[in-house]
Amino acid sequence: LRVAGNDDLSARISRRHFEVRRTPTGFAVIDLSKAGLTRNGRPVPRGEVVPLADGDVLGVAGVVSLEVRVTGPETMVAVVPG
């Protein structure tokens, strides 16, 4: 994930900043970063599996927000709101 034209902001985002996993009940996110990840404005504890729902907003290092869209039991996408 990169911020076009802004290397300083891009540097805050890790190569493996977070991971999305499919679980038996849906999807979950795991923060793997040092810079932090938020879900709906609340910090995601580093290394913990946190469930995701349609409409959740992930904040990546305070740099970019991604809106979670669950389109089916096995399909999830993240889009930049706006």
Side-chain angles (χ1 to χ4, degrees):
L1 187 61
R2 309 301 292 161
V3 178
N6 195 324
D7 291 338
D8 289 335
L9 289 179
S10 292
R12 294 178 57 187
I13 303 170
S14 307
R15 286 185 185 183
R16 290 199 52 201
H17 201 95
F18 64 93
E19 183 177 296
V20 174
R21 293 183 184 171
R22 191 164 53 134
T23 68
T25 58
F27 293 92
V29 66
I30 303 158
D31 180 12
L32 305 173
S33 74
K34 293 179 183 172
L37 181 73
T38 61
R39 178 178 151 264
N40 301 327
R42 294 198 169 128
V44 172
R46 190 167 193 251
E48 285 188 28
V49 177
V50 176
L52 290 173
D54 189 57
D56 281 350
V57 176
L58 298 175
V60 183
V63 172
V64 67
S65 295
L66 302 172
E67 185 175 347
V68 173
R69 286 291 175 215
V70 179
T71 58
E74 296 188 15
T75 307
M76 188 213 78
V77 296
V79 298
V80 178

